[in-house]
Amino acid sequence: MKKVLFVNGMAIGEQSGTGVTLQNLWSSWPKEDLLQLITAYPAPDCSADYQTLLVPKSFCPIPFSYYEKKARNAAPVKAEAQVNGSVARSGVRAALHDLLRGIMDCWPVRYAAVRKAVHAFHPDVIYTCGASARVMKTALAAAKAEHIPIILHLMDDWPETIYTTSLFSAPFRMRIQALLYKIHKKSRANFAISEALCEKYEQKYGVLYRPLMNPAMQIAEKPAELSSGELRFVYAGSLSLHRWKPLLEIAQVLCDRRECGMENRFDLYVPQMQLTQEFIELFSKSGAQLHPFVPADALRKIYEASDVLVYTESFEENVVQFTRLSLSTKIPEYLAAGKTVLAYLPPELHSCQYLTRRNAAMVCTTAQMLPVTIEKILRRDAACRAAAENGLETVRREHSAAASAEKIQETIAASC
C-alpha cells in the first residue's frame, strides 16, 4: 500500500458530513499508512486510531485566539444564521467577517514545524479536500518538501462561492484561484463528489477527475414494505444551508394529513448545536419532534425503524448556487437502507437529476407538488416500492464500499 498524507481542516471520523465520509472512504486503508496533518483551530476531535499532526498557529496569533475563545463560549446559533460558511452571503457584517477570515486564511503557514515528522513518515501522495488557502498552502508545502503529487477531492463546489461577499474579498478570492492552479499543477488525477462537478473542473484545469463520495457501508438485502399503520418519516442530518425551511413545509403537510386521518409522525435527528429552543418550537407547531443526532451505528437502527427517509435542500438562490453541482452524501446512505425516500429539492440541482434519472426516490420539486407526493406515500402507492428497489440497485452498482476502495487505489496508483 502507498502511504497517504491527509492535509485537511477536519479529521477523519469527526462528527460532520465530511468527517464521516472520510472515515468511510478510507476504512479499508491500513491506518499505519495514513498520517493526518490538521490545519484547523480550535483543533477538532481526532480519533486515536490515526496518526495525527497539528499544523502550528499562524504568526498572527490574535485572531486565532479570538476564534478559539469564541468557539469555546459559543451559544446556539439562531435559525436564520444556520448557513454553511461556504455559501455566498451579502451585507456589511458578512463582508467584515469575510475580510477577517481572509486575512487569517492567507497568513503564512508554519509548515517547517511539522516538516521533520512528515518526512519521517515518507508519504507517497497527498490527499486533501482543500476548501481554504491555509489547507492548500500546507498541502503545497508538503508536496514541495517531499516531491510527491497531490490528489484534490472536491466535496462540494466551494471554489465557486468562497470569498464572494464584497470587493474587499477579491484579493483573497484571487489568492484561492492561484492556489487551486498550483494544486492542479501537482495533480495527475483528482476526485469530485459528482459527475457534474467532475466535468466542470476537468474542463477548467485539464486534469482527470473521477466521481467519489460517501460510500454505503451497509446495504439492505431487499426493499422494505411500508407499514400498514402509522408511517414514520425520518430526517437525519443538519438544518444548515437553510434546509430547515423545506423541512418545515414537509412537517406542515404531514400535520395537515394527520388531521385528515392519515396517520404519520415526523422525527428529525439533528446536530446538538442546532437543538435550539427556536427550532424545537418551530417544528413542534406541526407536530414534528427534534432529537439529538446519533452515531452511525445507532443511526442504522433508526433507519430500520422508519418507513420513509426524508431528503431535502434549500430553494434559496444563494444556497442553490452552492449545492447545484454537488451530490449529497446522504443519498447513498438513504438508498442503502432500502426505504422509500421522499426527496424535496430544486429541479436544477444535480442531486435531483441524479435521483430522477434513476427513479430512486419519490421526487418533489415544488411546494404545489409536495402534498400530492406525500399523499402518494401515505396511500402506499406502488411507485414507492419501485423507487426503493431502484435505490438499492443504484447503491450496489455505484456506491458500495468495495467500489469506492477500488477507485481510490486506482487513482493513487495513477498519481504515483
Side-chain angles (χ1 to χ4, degrees), residues 16-295:
S16 66
T18 301
V20 172
T21 295
L22 291 175
Q23 182 170 283
N24 291 342
L25 283 173
W26 295 89
S27 60
S28 64
W29 208 268
K31 290 182 173 60
E32 63 270 18
D33 292 332
L34 296 177
L35 173 64
Q36 295 192 101
L37 198 54
I38 306 298
T39 68
Y41 278 90
D45 294 328
C46 300
S47 170
D49 294 339
Y50 293 93
Q51 305 174 73
T52 303
L53 294 173
L54 195 63
V55 179
K57 290 182 184 179
S58 163
F59 289 113
C60 188
I62 294 175
F64 278 110
S65 300
Y66 166 74
Y67 272 92
E68 280 188 276
K69 183 178 179 180
K70 185 177 179 182
R72 284 195 301 269
N73 301 326
V77 183
K78 287 185 175 292
E80 287 296 334
Q82 293 282 354
V83 180
N84 186 290
S86 296
V87 176
R89 288 172 287 178
S90 59
V92 175
R93 186 174 181 179
L96 290 174
H97 179 272
D98 230 19
L99 179 63
L100 178 58
R101 186 166 66 106
I103 292 171
M104 292 168 58
D105 195 18
C106 293
W107 209 266
V109 171
R110 297 174 62 188
Y111 178 74
V114 294
R115 180 172 181 169
K116 186 178 292 185
V118 171
H119 185 70
F121 176 67
H122 297 301
D124 296 296
V125 66
I126 294 168
Y127 170 92
T128 181
C129 297
S132 75
R134 182 172 168 81
V135 169
M136 290 192 288
K137 285 187 295 182
T138 304
L140 286 165
K144 181 179 179 180
E146 301 300 319
H147 306 287
I148 55 177
I150 296 173
I151 295 175
L152 177 65
H153 191 170
L154 295 174
M155 295 287 189
D156 49 52
D157 199 10
W158 59 265
E160 191 67 34
T161 56
I162 192 170
Y163 297 126
T164 55
T165 56
S166 70
L167 287 175
F168 294 113
S169 301
F172 310 125
R173 181 164 179 79
M174 291 172 63
R175 179 61 173 151
I176 287 287
Q177 299 304 318
L179 288 168
L180 275 169
Y181 178 79
K182 291 180 179 180
I183 289 281
H184 284 89
K185 283 291 184 181
K186 290 283 187 180
S187 301
R188 300 188 185 112
N190 294 317
F191 295 121
I193 201 166
S194 70
E195 294 96 334
L197 213 54
C198 285
E199 183 179 348
K200 174 180 177 177
Y201 285 96
E202 194 168 288
Q203 290 179 355
K204 184 172 183 177
Y205 291 105
V207 177
L208 175 67
Y209 267 87
R210 304 183 70 186
L212 182 69
M213 66 177 305
N214 186 37
M217 304 308 289
Q218 292 179 295
I219 302 176
E221 293 183 5
K222 59 181 181 179
E225 299 287 349
L226 292 171
S227 64
S228 57
E230 179 186 67
L231 288 188
R232 186 185 183 203
F233 288 69
V234 165
Y235 172 79
S238 174
L239 300 177
S240 61
L241 292 173
H242 290 315
R243 293 186 185 99
W244 62 274
K245 293 184 178 180
L247 286 168
L248 268 180
E249 293 182 55
I250 294 170
Q252 185 57 55
V253 173
L254 289 173
C255 180
D256 294 342
R257 292 303 172 270
R258 281 195 298 273
E259 293 176 357
C260 295
M262 294 182 169
E263 295 183 37
N264 68 78
R265 60 178 291 183
F266 190 16
D267 294 296
L268 299 93
Y269 294 83
V270 304
Q272 185 67 46
M273 68 171 293
Q274 295 175 348
L275 280 174
T276 64
Q277 192 62 34
E278 182 181 6
F279 274 140
I280 291 171
E281 290 176 1
L282 275 173
F283 282 93
S284 64
K285 290 177 183 177
S286 300
Q289 294 187 349
L290 267 61
H291 310 273
F293 202 77
V294 298

